C-alpha cells in the first residue's frame, strides 16, 4: 500500500479556496459534499492513494501496513521550504505529522492463509468495523437528502442474535409478528414483549394535550433498567417466591420463566437498545442508559423494519464495504465542483503570526495554497515551530492544540471458511456483559459479512468484532474470549484464553484463517482555529459522528444550511432505497 513513487503534479489552479480538507474519511467527505452543496469552493487532499482514511475498506494485504503506519508518529515528507512567497512575511509554516491512533496490533495467519494473499484484491476489509446502518437512521436520511445514495448499493442483514445466559445464540425478533413466531419465548414473555412494543408505539404517537399515551418525564429520566423492572420486563421474577411450600414443579417453572425473561431482558437492553456497559449494576456503571435514550433506540429499530421494500430487516450494509460511503459523498462533492488530489502529502500548515489562525497549506509539491477554513483528518497533528520562528503566544497556542479523547475501542477483523449460523450469510451477534466471562464489563458486537456483499471470495466470510475498553489488556481479553467462543482456532497460533471456554461444544465451529486485532483511540475532534474531524467511535451506526460533523459545518458556515433540500428522488416507485448504477472508482 505504501507508495514511494514520486509524482510530478502540475500546479493547482486556483490557489485560493473557501475550504481545504486534508483526509477523505467519512466526516471529511461529508463536509466536502456539504460545503460544495452550499456553493463553496473546496479542495480535498489525501496523502493516501485511496479514499476513506480510517473509514476505508482495504484489500487484505494493505490492512497490516496501514495499521502499522498509524501506530507511531510519522513526519510527513519535508524538504527545505520552497522559495518564500510574499505571504511568508505574515504566515509561519507549521510542520504536520501523523500521530499514533492504533496500538497493540496483532496479525495472525492460520492454516491455509497463504491462499488468502493470492486473492487479496478480492477482499474489502473495513478498518472501522463492525458497522451497519439502520434503515431509518440519520445516515440513510442524509444519503437520501444529499443524493449520495445514487453512488452506493446496500443489502439487508439477514438476522440479529444475542448470546443468552445458557451460552446459546438466540434470534432477536424485529417486529411484533416475529415475537409471536419466536420459539425461544414462552406465551407470557411474548405477551409482555408485545405489550412493551405497543407501549413504545403509544409513547411515540401520543400527542394529546393531556399527554395520553406518553411515558412520564420522570420515567424517561430514570435508568432504563429500572423502567423495565417497573413494567415487569427485567430479569427479576416477582410472581413466585421459592420457599419451603413450593413444589418441585413450581420451582422448575419459576426457573424456566426466569431464564426466558433473562433472555428477553438481554434482547431489549443489549441487542436492540445497544447498551455498551452492564446495566444490571448501576453503581460504578460507566454509562447508564436512560429510559428516553432506550426508547429512542427501540423506536429507531422498530421504524427501520420494513422502511424499504428491498430491505426486510432493520439493518443494511453497503456492497463493497463501508468505505463506499466515503466514496459516495466524495462523488457527490465532485459533481458539485470539489477538486480532488490523492497521493498529495501536506508538509506544513500556514499560520497567521498575528491571529494564530490557519490560513493555508504547503504541499509536498512545494506549492502554497490558501483558505480561511482548513479541516484535517483525525490522525494529523501539528509540531510546535522553533522558538525563534514565531511569537510566544503562537508557541503556546500550537502547544495547546489537542483533541477530546473519549477512550478506546478494541477491534478485530477475522476471515473464516464457514458461517457462524447455518444458512445465514450476513448477521449481527451481540455478547452482552458477563456472557463470555465474569469480568466482561462491556458488550462485544460481532458482524459477519458474506461474499454476496463483495467483501471476500466465494466460500469465505469476514467477521468484525469490537468492544469498548479502558485499557489495551481488557480490550484484547474480550476479543480473544469472543474469538475462542465462535471460531475453531489453531492453538499454536492463538494467544490465551482457554480459560474463557464456557463448556465443551460438539458443534463444528468455523475455522479461523486470518485475523487482525488492534486497539483504536477514539477522539471527537477539535473545532477551534485548528479543525480536526473525529476518529471512528465504538457505536454500531454513524449517528454520533454525523452529529459531530454537522456541528463542525455550522462552526465553519453558521449561516448555511447543512445540505439544503434538492430535487433528488429519495425513493423509487416501489419505496426502495434505490440502487446505483455500476460507477467506476473515483480517480483524482
Amino acid at each position: 500500500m505504501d507508495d514511494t513513487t514520486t509524482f510530478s503534479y502540475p500546479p493547482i489552479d486556483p490557489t485560493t479556496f473557501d475550504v481545504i480538507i486534508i483526509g477523505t474519511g467519512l466526516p471529511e467527505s461529508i463536509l466536502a459534499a456539504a460545503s460544495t452543496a452550499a456553493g463553496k469552493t473546496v479542495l480535498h487532499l489525501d496523502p493516501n492513494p485511496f479514499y476513506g482514511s480510517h473509514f476505508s475498506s482495504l484489500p487484505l494485504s494493505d490492512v497490516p501496513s496501514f495499521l502499522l503506519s498509524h501506530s507511531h508518529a510519522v513526519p510527513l515528507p519535508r524538504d527545505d521550504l520552497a522559495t518564500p512567497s510574499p505571504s511568508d512575511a505574515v504566515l509561519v509554516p507549521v510542520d504536520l505529522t501523523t500521530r499514533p491512533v492504533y496500538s497493540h496490533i496483532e496479525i495472525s495467519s492460520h492454516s491455509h492463509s497463504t491462499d488468502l494473499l493470492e486473492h487479496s484484491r478480492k477482499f474489502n476489509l473495513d478498518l472501522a468495523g463492525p458497522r451497519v446502518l439502520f434503515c431509518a437512521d440519520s445516515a440513510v436520511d442524509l444519503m437520501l437528502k444529499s443524493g449520495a445514495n445514487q453512488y452506493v448499493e446496500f443489502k439487508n442483514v439477514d438476522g440479529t442474535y444475542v448470546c443468552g445466559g445458557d451460552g446459546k445464540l438466540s434470534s432477536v425478533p424485529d417486529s411484533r409478528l416475529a415475537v409471536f413466531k419466536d420459539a425461544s419465548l414462552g406465551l407470557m414473555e411474548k405477551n409482555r414483549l408485545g405489550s412493551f412494543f405497543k407501549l413504545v408505539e403509544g409513547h411515540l404517537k401520543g400527542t394529546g394535550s393531556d399527554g395520553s399515551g406518553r411515558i412520564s418525564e420522570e420515567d424517561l429520566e430514570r435508568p432504563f433498567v429500572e423502567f423495565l423492572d417497573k413494567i415487569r420486563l427485567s430479569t427479576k421474577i416477582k410472581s413466585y417466591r421459592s420457599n419451603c411450600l413450593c413444589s418441585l414443579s413450581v420451582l422448575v417453572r419459576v426457573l424456566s420463566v426466569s431464564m426466558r425473561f433473562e433472555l428477553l431482558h438481554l434482547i431489549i437492553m443489549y441487542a436492540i437498545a445497544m447498551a455498551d456497559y452492564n446495566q444490571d449494576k448501576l453503581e460504578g456503571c460507566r454509562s447508564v442508559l436512560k429510559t428516553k435514550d432506550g426508547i429512542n433506540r427501540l423506536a429507531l429499530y422498530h421504524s427501520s423494519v420494513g422502511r424499504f421494500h428491498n430491505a426486510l430487516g432493520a439493518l443494511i450494509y453497503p456492497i463493497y464495504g463501508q468505505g463506499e460511503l466515503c466514496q459516495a459523498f466524495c462523488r457527490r462533492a465532485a459533481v458539485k465542483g470539489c477538486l480532488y488530489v490523492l497521493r498529495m502529502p501536506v508538509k506544513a500548515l500556514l499560520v497567521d503570526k498575528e491571529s494564530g489562525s490557519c490560513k493555508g497549506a504547503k504541499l509536498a509539491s512545494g506549492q502554497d495554497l490558501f483558505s480561511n477554513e482548513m479541516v484535517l483528518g483525525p490522525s494529523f497533528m501539528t509540531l510546535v515551530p522553533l522558538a525563534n520562528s514565531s511569537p510566544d503566544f503562537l508557541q503556546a497556542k500550537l502547544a495547546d492544540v489537542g483533541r477530546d479523547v473519549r477512550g478506546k475501542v478494541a477491534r478485530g477483523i477475522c476471515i473464516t471458511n464457514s458461517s457462524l449460523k447455518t444458512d445465514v450469510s450476513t448477521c449481527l451477534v451481540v455478547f452482552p456483559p458477563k456472557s463470555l466471562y465474569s469480568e466482561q464489563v462491556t458488550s462485544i458486537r460481532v458482524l459477519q459479512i458474506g461474499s454476496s456483499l463483495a467483501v471476500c471470495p466465494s466460500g469465505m466470510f469476514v467477521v468484525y468484532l469490537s468492544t469498548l475498553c479502558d485499557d489495551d489488556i481488557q480490550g484484547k481479553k474480550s476479543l480473544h474470549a469472543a474469538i475462542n467462543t465462535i471460531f475453531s482456532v489453531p492453538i499454536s497460533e492463538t494467544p490465551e484464553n482457554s480459560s474463557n471456554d464456557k463448556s465443551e461444544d460438539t458443534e463444528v465451529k468455523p475455522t479461523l484463517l486470518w485475523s487482525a486485532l488492534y486497539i483504536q483511540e477514539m477522539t471527537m475532534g477539535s473545532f477551534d482555529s485548528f479543525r480536526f474531524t473525529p476518529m471512528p467511535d465504538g457505536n454500531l451506526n454513524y449517528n454520533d459522528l454525523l452529529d459531530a460533523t454537522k456541528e463542525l459545518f455550522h462552526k465553519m458556515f453558521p449561516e448555511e444550511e447543512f445540505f439544503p433540500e434538492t430535487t433528488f428522488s429519495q425513493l423509487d416507485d416501489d419505496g426502495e432505497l434505490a440502487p446505483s448504477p455500476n460507477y467506476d472508482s473515483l480517480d483524482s
Side-chain angles (χ1 to χ4, degrees), residues 68-209:
L68 291 170
S69 68
H70 289 276
S71 63
H72 55 278
V74 180
L76 296 178
R78 193 189 192 295
D79 301 323
D80 292 335
L81 291 177
T83 303
S85 63
S87 62
D88 287 318
V90 295
L91 297 182
V92 175
V94 177
D95 287 352
L96 276 181
T97 184
T98 57
R99 65 189 187 89
V101 293
Y102 303 117
S103 63
H104 288 70
I105 300 167
E106 179 185 315
I107 309 295
S108 299
S109 296
H110 305 285
S111 59
H112 310 300
S113 62
T114 53
D115 298 335
L116 298 179
L117 294 178
E118 298 177 3
H119 303 286
S120 174
R121 311 306 295 185
K122 293 183 179 180
F123 287 94
N124 291 295
L125 304 180
D126 299 339
L127 293 173
R131 293 274 177 182
V132 293
L133 285 81
F134 289 84
C135 290
D137 73 13
S138 57
V140 173
D141 291 340
L142 182 62
M143 296 193 74
L144 294 170
K145 183 180 181 181
S146 65
N149 63 301
Q150 299 179 91
Y151 310 105
V152 61
E153 298 181 41
F154 297 88
K155 281 193 175 183
N156 189 63
V157 174
D158 298 330
T160 302
Y161 302 88
V162 64
C163 181
D166 57 0
K168 296 180 180 179
L169 299 184
S170 299
S171 177
V172 175
D174 54 16
S175 66
R176 292 176 69 180
L177 178 61
V179 168
F180 288 96
K181 288 184 176 180
D182 195 330
S184 65
L185 299 176
L187 181 59
M188 181 189 300
E189 298 83 55
K190 290 178 179 180
N191 288 334
R192 199 72 61 80
L193 187 56
S195 298
F196 179 62
F197 281 159
K198 187 175 181 179
L199 174 66
V200 172
E201 291 174 5
H203 170 75
L204 297 173
K205 295 177 180 177
T207 55
S209 57

Side-chain angles (χ1 to χ4, degrees), residues 169-431:
L169 299 184
S170 299
S171 177
V172 175
D174 54 16
S175 66
R176 292 176 69 180
L177 178 61
V179 168
F180 288 96
K181 288 184 176 180
D182 195 330
S184 65
L185 299 176
L187 181 59
M188 181 189 300
E189 298 83 55
K190 290 178 179 180
N191 288 334
R192 199 72 61 80
L193 187 56
S195 298
F196 179 62
F197 281 159
K198 187 175 181 179
L199 174 66
V200 172
E201 291 174 5
H203 170 75
L204 297 173
K205 295 177 180 177
T207 55
S209 57
D210 61 350
S212 59
R214 294 188 62 83
I215 300 170
S216 70
E217 289 299 321
E218 180 182 358
D219 280 338
L220 289 175
E221 290 300 321
R222 73 193 305 174
F224 192 37
V225 67
E226 292 183 357
F227 179 72
L228 294 180
D229 186 28
K230 177 181 178 181
I231 62 174
R232 302 176 68 190
L233 271 176
S234 75
T235 57
K236 303 172 184 177
I237 301 299
K238 301 180 178 179
S239 302
Y240 301 93
R241 294 183 182 275
S242 56
N243 54 49
C244 59
L245 299 179
C246 289
S247 67
L248 179 60
S249 61
V250 171
L251 289 175
V252 171
R253 183 183 176 190
V254 169
L255 285 175
S256 177
V257 171
S258 177
M259 290 180 65
R260 294 200 301 267
F261 266 88
E262 180 183 7
L263 174 61
L264 193 60
H265 172 80
L266 296 176
I267 288 174
I268 294 174
M269 184 66 71
Y270 300 104
I272 297 181
M274 295 292 173
D276 289 310
Y277 291 88
N278 186 5
Q279 302 294 305
D280 294 330
K281 278 193 172 183
L282 297 180
E283 313 85 45
C285 180
R286 287 281 300 272
S287 178
V288 175
L289 182 66
K290 290 187 176 182
T291 298
K292 62 180 179 181
D293 297 320
I295 294 297
N296 288 336
R297 295 180 187 184
L298 288 168
L300 171 61
Y301 192 94
H302 180 71
S303 59
S304 293
V305 177
R307 182 185 186 186
F308 304 117
H309 293 172
N310 57 343
L312 301 179
L315 309 177
I316 54 177
Y317 183 90
I319 298 177
Y320 299 110
Q322 296 289 344
E324 290 297 295
L325 301 182
C326 304
Q327 292 204 44
F329 282 101
C330 287
R331 284 189 171 116
R332 193 72 232 138
V335 168
K336 291 289 187 177
C338 179
L339 178 60
Y340 279 88
V341 184
L342 299 186
R343 301 184 181 90
M344 177 55 78
V346 176
K347 295 199 302 185
L349 300 181
L350 302 177
V351 180
D352 188 283
K353 283 184 179 180
E354 302 299 325
S355 67
S357 298
C358 190
K359 297 296 184 182
K362 182 176 289 292
L363 305 184
S365 64
Q367 185 177 10
D368 289 350
L369 300 174
F370 306 96
S371 174
N372 288 326
E373 294 292 346
M374 294 286 301
V375 179
L376 288 82
S379 59
F380 293 102
M381 65 180 294
T382 56
L383 296 177
V384 179
L386 298 175
N388 60 1
S389 65
S390 61
D392 291 341
F393 91 93
L394 184 56
Q395 294 275 333
K397 187 179 184 71
L398 291 171
D400 194 45
V401 171
R403 294 164 179 77
D404 184 7
V405 178
R406 295 291 180 90
K408 298 179 178 182
V409 56
R411 300 193 191 276
I413 306 173
C414 299
I415 298 173
T416 185
N417 62 351
S418 59
S419 176
L420 299 176
K421 296 288 290 184
T422 305
D423 299 327
V424 175
S425 176
T426 304
C427 64
L428 174 69
V429 178
V430 178
F431 291 96

Side-chain angles (χ1 to χ4, degrees), residues 277 286 407-410 442 467-472 474-475 519:
Y277 291 88
R286 287 281 300 272
K408 298 179 178 182
V409 56
T442 58
T467 184
L468 300 180
C469 59
D470 295 326
D471 57 64
D472 303 334
Q474 175 193 345
I519 307 297

Side-chain angles (χ1 to χ4, degrees), residues 42-74:
V42 180
L43 173 64
H44 205 169
L45 306 170
D46 198 316
N48 295 305
F50 56 86
Y51 291 82
S53 299
H54 301 285
F55 294 81
S56 62
S57 301
L58 298 178
L60 173 63
S61 59
D62 289 353
V63 171
S65 57
F66 184 88
L67 294 174
L68 291 170
S69 68
H70 289 276
S71 63
H72 55 278
V74 180

